[in-house]
Amino acid sequence: EGELVGWLREKASEVDAFVVNPAGYSHTSVALRDAIAVVGKPVVEVHISNIHARESFRQTTITGAVCAGVISGFGLEGYRMAVEHLRQTAAGGAGRA
């Protein structure tokens, strides 16, 4: 958890946006939520599985609430979808959040 928070802060000056899969931290980490909220870059959260089809405690993502979007349930394709969304948003094209 601490490494993810530090990584976001460290890389913020080097990138235009982030794609993250916070896994179980998405349901529990206030520290990661706060880091995403203040990073100053768009963040898209990706979950390989459909979190809404899992246990009730996994259906809420506190980190997702401060992200530009959350992609869930599309397997590894979700990462490509996130990058494509961020590319289009940066270019001012369709899909702008």
Side-chain angles (χ1 to χ4, degrees), residues 10-43:
E10 175 187 327
K11 297 298 180 185
S13 65
E14 301 174 22
V15 302
D16 296 323
F18 290 95
V19 174
V20 297
N21 181 339
Y25 292 128
S26 63
H27 319 294
T28 62
S29 180
V30 173
L32 186 54
R33 181 194 189 282
D34 291 348
I36 292 169
V38 302
V39 75
K41 303 291 173 103
V43 178

Side-chain angles (χ1 to χ4, degrees), residues 24-95:
Y25 292 128
S26 63
H27 319 294
T28 62
S29 180
V30 173
L32 186 54
R33 181 194 189 282
D34 291 348
I36 292 169
V38 302
V39 75
K41 303 291 173 103
V43 178
V44 175
E45 180 173 309
V46 174
H47 296 277
I48 295 170
S49 67
N50 179 356
I51 62 172
H52 301 290
R54 298 187 66 189
E55 302 93 336
S56 62
F57 70 91
R58 295 185 195 276
Q59 295 177 11
T60 301
T61 165
I62 63 173
T63 52
V66 293
C67 289
V70 177
I71 299 171
S72 174
F74 291 96
L76 297 178
E77 178 70 6
Y79 293 105
R80 189 202 58 77
M81 294 165 69
V83 170
E84 183 60 26
H85 168 76
L86 291 167
R87 277 184 0 96
Q88 288 181 9
T89 301

